[in-house]
Amino acid sequence: MALYKQQELKLYNSMSGEKEAFKSIHEGRIGMYVCGPTVYSNVHLGNCRTFISFDMIYRYLLHLGYKVRYVRNITDAGHLTDDADQGEDKISKKARLEKIEPMEVVQQYTLDFHNVMKKFNALPPNIEPTATGHIVEQIEIIKSILDKGYAYERNGSIYFDVIKFNEDHQYGKLSGRNLEDMIANTRELAAQSEKENPQDFALWKKASPEHIMRWPSPWGDGFPGWHLECTVMSSKYLGETFDIHGGGMDLKFPHHECEIAQGEAAHGHSPVNYWMHTNMLTLEGKKMSKSTGNSILPAELFTGDNDFMEKAFAPSVVRFFMMQAHYRSVLDFSNDAIAAAEKGLNRLKEAVKLLDDLEVSSTSTVDFKGWNSRCYAALNDDFNTPILVAELFEAVKKIHAVKENNETITAEDLNLLKAQLHAFMEDVLGIPLKEEQNTATNEAPMDAAMRLIIDLRATARARKDFETSDKIRDELQEAGIQLKDGADGTTYTIK
């Protein structure tokens, strides 16, 4: 029997504002769409948190035995610089500044995105469609929305009529906004736009003569609106109604609100059953911002070439750090926090290595079946990874207790523990238990060397050769490496 039939998964639905029991539209199958990057610059760490969170969610759904079609788009046209209907296309602007073709920009930063996600051990989506690859479909859905009276043409641009839509539906239900209040707050802008109402949004924009990216349409040369592409690609590959739609919390309004309106206008019903949103990542207590210099790129973390961290950190450490917070909570990135995550991950890896050396007994004094159930309960509670991580550290304590002969474990429980630690760490959290080679810092050889030194020191202490053990500790300290002895073993930090 598939594992999902034995587990009751609940997830937080942003539409209802409550945790709901998850039930897929089709038995054993899930359609999931996540808004992907706009590829005009290197992917930043905040975006990475969203994609890593949904990678964990995707992994757990697969672990439960679901067949998942995971669609994540690439925005390579139509996303303007002010995230609305004014300004310049972000990719066209980058191409103009660098005097290259827009598709060169797209290729460069799509490759960067893929490389970063690979380093973070994220599984690729099943389908990764692009906006420019679906212009025809976008034009067709605009025709449908026009025919149904929910859009209008102005000077070669097509705008979605929010007021008309709101007569039959509810605009603002995802973000909890009231249309009348929105109109009142933007009334003074009405005369400054060709829109009938400031809340209306573009389905198609007429291209100005200098606009680089443009396509022919029944309304003249132009380009699609940013919101439209996700409606088109999600419905094409997942159907008019699908299970899960995800993205960052910053996309809830207006992007996802507009997606809902477009889907309901075109198809007559809600496009998504469960809306999921990740929260923001801050840096040393402040919002990440390129303009203020309070930002850091993944590559700068991996190499240590930044002004915030004391040293380089491996991708698995960064990913583990993110798993220690719930995906819906604000997470602050700091040197102390990531260093603590590195120590914790090392403790887990060391404990896993001890498993093969544990002696089995005829009875277990440790309840690993109960531990296994608690791990699943955490994940089934809206993917509560911080509770899961806490349970993993409980297992670490028990492993050391068995190693030190304070507890006993049967062969059956040991096999369960080995299998489930691998499942939760690697399959679900996506944290590799084997050493990873960080070419910038040569981290894996460093860890291997330090483990050897720590083992030699432990042997010396066991033989009561304290002169040798103290010499190892003191000379390492002089070299800038500090050893710390704890209940779970010895760890090291580089000053």
Side-chain angles (χ1 to χ4, degrees):
M1 180 167 47
L3 192 55
Y4 68 83
K5 294 183 179 180
Q6 304 168 32
Q7 306 291 332
E8 185 184 13
L9 174 63
K10 290 187 176 181
L11 54 81
Y12 183 88
N13 191 344
S14 298
M15 182 65 78
S16 66
E18 297 178 352
K19 291 180 187 177
E20 299 178 7
F22 176 75
K23 183 175 175 57
S24 59
I25 296 171
H26 302 289
E27 169 72 25
R29 295 175 177 266
I30 293 174
M32 181 171 77
Y33 186 91
V34 174
C35 290
T38 300
V39 283
Y40 71 103
S41 65
N42 298 108
V43 62
H44 64 75
L45 206 58
N47 285 146
C48 290
R49 186 195 181 190
T50 291
F51 302 130
I52 289 170
S53 294
F54 280 102
D55 180 63
M56 174 274 296
I57 290 167
Y58 175 44
R59 284 170 172 275
Y60 186 55
L61 296 175
L62 292 175
H63 175 75
L64 290 179
Y66 285 106
K67 184 175 176 60
V68 184
R69 177 176 288 176
Y70 175 20
V71 182
R72 187 185 66 210
N73 72 299
I74 294 288
T75 295
D76 59 353
H79 193 172
L80 304 188
T81 51
D82 65 353
D83 289 352
D85 297 329
Q86 304 301 319
E88 191 173 1
D89 184 288
K90 291 185 177 184
I91 291 164
S92 294
K93 180 180 179 179
K94 187 77 169 184
R96 177 176 56 79
L97 291 174
E98 297 192 4
K99 295 182 172 57
I100 58 177
E101 284 290 326
M103 285 301 114
E104 289 183 73
V105 175
V106 168
Q107 179 74 356
Q108 177 183 344
Y109 293 113
T110 300
L111 288 174
D112 169 73
F113 172 65
H114 288 157
N115 288 336
V116 169
M117 287 297 101
K118 185 175 181 180
K119 287 179 180 177
F120 277 127
N121 198 33
L123 300 174
N126 302 110
I127 302 174
E128 192 174 50
T130 64
T132 56
H134 295 76
I135 298 296
V136 171
E137 292 91 338
Q138 291 178 80
I139 290 172
E140 290 304 310
I141 202 170
I142 292 171
K143 290 179 182 177
S144 174
I145 295 172
L146 278 168
D147 289 344
K148 293 176 181 178
Y150 293 119
Y152 56 89
E153 180 184 359
R154 288 291 183 276
N155 303 318
S157 294
I158 309 296
Y159 294 100
F160 190 92
D161 191 333
V162 170
I163 292 179
K164 173 63 176 174
F165 173 79
N166 205 55
E167 293 174 1
D168 308 313
H169 304 269
Q170 182 185 350
Y171 183 78
K173 59 187 175 183
L174 177 65
S175 58
R177 301 183 184 217
N178 180 279
L179 182 58
E180 288 73 20
D181 292 340
M182 287 190 275
I183 292 172
N185 291 333
T186 57
R187 200 178 302 279
E188 69 277 4
L189 299 175
Q192 303 172 20
S193 170
E194 63 186 7
K195 300 177 186 178
E196 292 183 1
N197 175 66
Q199 268 63 51
D200 295 349
F201 56 90
L203 301 175
W204 185 266
K205 286 285 287 184
K206 180 181 179 180
S208 59
E210 66 274 11
H211 197 91
I212 306 173
M213 302 180 79
R214 56 203 299 139
W215 291 267
S217 80
W219 318 286
D221 281 2
F223 55 93
W226 171 38
H227 311 306
L228 188 66
E229 63 181 83
C230 289
T231 292
V232 165
M233 290 186 279
S234 61
S235 61
K236 176 173 181 176
Y237 297 109
L238 298 176
E240 294 179 3
T241 301
F242 55 95
D243 297 294
I244 297 172
H245 193 313
M249 199 164 285
D250 57 319
L251 296 180
K252 187 183 290 188
F253 186 90
H255 186 55
H256 290 163
E257 201 74 74
C258 294
E259 277 193 64
I260 292 169
Q262 292 166 162
E264 291 185 357
H267 305 129
H269 49 77
S270 180
V272 179
N273 285 349
Y274 302 91
W275 285 91
M276 300 182 68
H277 293 92
T278 59
N279 215 323
M280 69 185 333
L281 187 70
T282 58
L283 181 59
E284 296 190 332
K286 299 176 184 176
K287 182 179 179 180
M288 284 197 184
S289 170
K290 290 181 183 177
S291 61
T292 64
N294 195 59
S295 66
I296 188 169
L297 293 174
E300 295 170 337
L301 266 177
F302 305 155
T303 63
D305 185 18
N306 63 82
D307 298 327
F308 297 95
M309 307 298 150
E310 65 183 12
K311 67 183 190 71
F313 290 97
S316 63
V317 173
V318 181
R319 181 170 179 129
F320 184 65
F321 167 74
M322 292 184 182
M323 293 295 105
Q324 290 180 296
H326 194 273
Y327 76 89
R328 286 192 289 112
S329 65
V330 175
L331 175 59
D332 187 53
F333 206 96
S334 69
N335 183 79
D336 289 348
I338 189 71
E342 183 179 56
K343 290 179 185 177
L345 181 55
N346 287 336
R347 281 174 56 206
L348 275 165
K349 287 183 175 182
E350 291 298 328
V352 169
K353 287 173 183 158
L354 292 176
L355 290 173
D356 289 333
D357 298 329
L358 295 185
E359 293 185 7
V360 296
S361 177
S362 58
T363 59
S364 283
T365 59
V366 181
D367 179 18
F368 280 112
K369 291 184 177 66
W371 168 84
N372 190 44
S373 297
R374 291 193 299 275
C375 289
Y376 278 113
L379 288 168
N380 290 334
D381 183 18
D382 191 33
F383 311 98
N384 199 327
T385 56
I387 298 297
L388 173 64
V389 169
E391 290 294 344
L392 294 176
F393 283 120
E394 284 298 314
V396 170
K397 292 179 183 177
K398 301 300 184 185
I399 290 168
H400 281 282
V402 174
K403 177 69 175 175
E404 294 159 13
N405 297 319
N406 296 323
E407 302 277 5
T408 60
I409 187 170
T410 63
E412 180 185 2
D413 281 351
L414 180 58
N415 289 334
L416 170 69
L417 182 59
K418 286 180 179 180
Q420 292 306 98
L421 277 174
H422 171 85
F424 294 132
M425 283 291 291
E426 295 200 316
D427 297 348
V428 178
L429 296 185
I431 310 293
L433 290 173
K434 64 181 180 180
E435 297 298 336
E436 59 189 320
Q437 176 72 49
N438 188 325
T439 54
T441 63
N442 219 24
E443 181 174 346
M446 176 67 175
D447 280 349
M450 284 305 303
R451 273 200 315 278
L452 175 60
I453 293 170
I454 288 169
D455 288 345
L456 289 172
R457 178 171 172 263
T459 301
R461 293 175 73 186
R463 294 174 178 168
K464 301 191 183 300
D465 182 4
F466 298 116
E467 181 180 353
T468 300
S469 67
D470 289 348
K471 183 179 180 182
I472 292 172
R473 179 198 63 205
D474 295 342
E475 292 194 7
L476 285 174
Q477 189 159 0
E478 286 181 15
I481 301 172
Q482 184 170 4
L483 298 182
K484 184 177 180 181
D485 298 317
D488 298 325
T490 301
T491 58
Y492 77 95
T493 55
I494 300 175
K495 296 179 182 178

